Amino acid sequence: VVKLPIQGPCNNPDHPEDCFFDPAQKWDHVASVGVDALAAVADHPQTLWHDDMEAKSVPAGYVRQMGQQPATLYLIKAPQGWTFTFWKEVNPFEQKNKTIRRLEFAYGGHRHEFSVTDTAFTNRHNIYNRMKMDEPQTLAVPNPSNVYFCLSLTRLTPPNFDRKHYQICATIF
């Protein structure tokens, strides 16, 4: 747990949790806690982001229409039946290999896909060395019911792209 001085909200209606901070200001370490402490701070939304079109993104304007408590960041307990799949494939635009790390599960009656950006989880499970070209593999995780996910929506992609918020899993606890 850290304490950092916040200068104020960024006032971005497409990313309401974002705040400004001064990187020159010191962050204070308050405490170290175990995974068991996550239950006390976990979110319990009725549903996650979905528009019934794609499992991995929502369109521009989605967050603004979420109602009284719009959110682009959640910490949730892993739902039953979640899977982590990984593989390599060729990126046709850049003509090089790219790595895919995907988290999938159902929540609130909708199927979701998240790109996983958690390098600590990836390293802990030796994912990069196990990846195979065009051969998705599913990771067997011990005690999958005692896992938490830090989930986020990306900032809106630029106008010359597809104007979407993509779902990512930043951390797997």
Side-chain angles (χ1 to χ4, degrees):
V1 178
V2 295
K3 179 180 176 183
L4 65 142
I6 300 291
Q7 293 178 327
C10 291
N11 295 319
N12 179 347
D14 290 320
H15 240 252
E17 295 91 350
D18 291 1
C19 290
F20 289 109
F21 70 96
D22 180 355
Q25 293 291 316
K26 181 181 171 207
W27 293 25
D28 294 321
H29 177 264
V30 176
S32 294
V33 296
V35 172
D36 54 326
L38 295 177
V41 296
D43 296 302
H44 302 280
Q46 288 186 344
T47 187
L48 297 175
W49 316 283
H50 67 88
D51 69 347
D52 294 321
M53 299 296 288
E54 282 191 62
K56 63 181 181 180
S57 68
V58 291
Y62 180 88
V63 175
R64 296 172 190 223
Q65 297 172 1
M66 287 180 72
Q68 291 185 344
Q69 292 188 336
T72 59
L73 184 64
Y74 289 120
L75 173 67
I76 67 164
K77 184 165 179 56
Q80 289 185 345
W82 67 273
T83 59
F84 175 84
T85 309
F86 57 97
W87 69 96
K88 288 186 229 180
E89 65 184 26
V90 174
N91 179 332
F93 302 107
E94 297 179 6
Q95 295 300 311
K96 66 178 189 176
N97 292 346
K98 71 176 185 175
T99 60
I100 309 294
R101 294 167 293 157
R102 181 170 296 143
L103 174 67
E104 295 183 62
F105 58 81
Y107 193 99
H110 300 276
R111 191 176 76 74
H112 294 274
E113 290 180 15
F114 296 82
S115 291
V116 177
T117 60
D118 184 349
T119 55
F121 179 85
T122 301
N123 291 336
R124 188 166 54 249
H125 293 282
N126 198 28
I127 298 301
Y128 291 118
N129 292 328
R130 296 167 53 188
M131 286 183 165
K132 296 180 181 175
M133 185 62 82
D134 297 322
E135 288 186 41
Q137 300 171 70
T138 300
L139 180 67
V141 176
N143 200 7
S145 62
N146 193 31
V147 173
Y148 287 81
F149 304 132
C150 180
L151 307 173
S152 181
L153 285 180
T154 62
R155 288 181 176 251
L156 200 56
T157 54
N160 61 342
F161 196 57
D162 59 8
R163 299 300 287 163
K164 293 182 181 182
H165 295 278
Y166 284 89
Q167 299 182 133
I168 62 169
C169 176
T171 309
I172 300 175
F173 297 97

